Amino acid sequence: MTETPTAFELTFQPNVELISIVRRFLSDFYERMIEDHDTVSRIALATHELLENAVKYASDGATFLSVTFEPGGTSSTVSIRLMNRANAEHIAAVATIFEEMSLHDDPFGHYQIAMARSAKRKVGSGLGLVRVRAEGEMTMSHTIEDDRVTILAQTTVTARRRS
């Protein structure tokens, strides 16, 4: 018997307080699905980081978040999809970050380069998406349609054994 994916979707206007509440909810959600606590922590961090970006860069404040846990035979896939509207400057920045990530096969090596570069920045670190890829151990992709940016972060996990 094939297990059905578990998913939830949330459309809201995130703020710092709501991000913490959503992260706690997601941590509880992931702990029931995933065996390893380090993996749960990495995925919660990734979700938190993506939501922080939405607070900073959404042009209308609205964000769509979708989290899917898709069970498999020996492993399962967690997908975090975040969509919001952004202005042209932020859309260009996202495209640049993804282009740069595509040039680096080693997420942690790229993260080190980005951290060194961020020390020289006067505004923001520019590390959010790079951090999700490296520390969250996620594969990352994005789409841009008009002023809508969708970011997809995915990872393979060991599911909690059912008793």
Side-chain angles (χ1 to χ4, degrees):
M1 182 167 106
T2 305
E3 290 188 61
T4 304
T6 302
F8 72 88
E9 296 177 346
L10 179 65
T11 301
F12 68 124
Q13 292 187 320
N15 59 45
V16 175
E17 183 179 316
L18 285 177
I19 290 171
S20 295
I21 291 168
V22 171
R23 180 178 179 155
R24 282 192 302 274
F25 168 77
L26 287 170
S27 291
D28 288 346
F29 172 79
Y30 295 136
E31 283 177 2
R32 280 154 185 68
M33 307 300 236
I34 300 168
E35 186 76 25
D36 180 58
H37 292 293
D38 179 58
T39 302
V40 169
S41 179
R42 286 187 298 101
I43 296 169
L45 171 127
T47 307
H48 186 104
E49 195 69 47
L50 291 170
L51 286 170
E52 276 190 347
N53 279 354
V55 167
K56 291 178 196 172
Y57 304 118
S59 62
D60 63 359
T63 297
F64 170 78
L65 171 70
S66 170
V67 176
T68 305
F69 180 87
E70 193 161 349
T74 58
S75 63
S76 300
T77 301
V78 174
S79 301
I80 306 163
R81 184 179 314 272
L82 191 84
M83 193 279 295
N84 60 274
R85 291 186 132 106
N87 66 36
E89 179 184 344
H90 293 139
I91 289 171
V94 166
T96 299
I97 289 167
F98 273 94
E99 175 65 27
E100 188 175 283
M101 284 194 296
S102 74
L103 300 174
H104 295 273
D105 291 333
D106 175 15
F108 275 99
H110 179 223
Y111 188 37
Q112 296 297 315
I113 292 166
M115 282 194 297
R117 186 177 50 228
S118 76
K120 300 171 188 163
R121 290 179 64 150
K122 296 197 185 323
V123 178
S125 69
L127 292 174
L129 296 173
V130 178
R131 182 179 187 208
V132 168
R133 181 177 175 229
E135 290 186 9
E137 298 178 20
M138 301 275 190
T139 58
M140 306 282 294
S141 62
H142 77 295
T143 58
I144 298 170
E145 294 178 28
D146 299 321
D147 67 343
R148 284 187 166 87
V149 177
T150 302
I151 295 173
L152 175 63
Q154 293 183 298
T155 193
T156 302
V157 301
T158 302
R160 183 172 293 286
R161 287 176 233 202
R162 305 265 172 160
S163 28

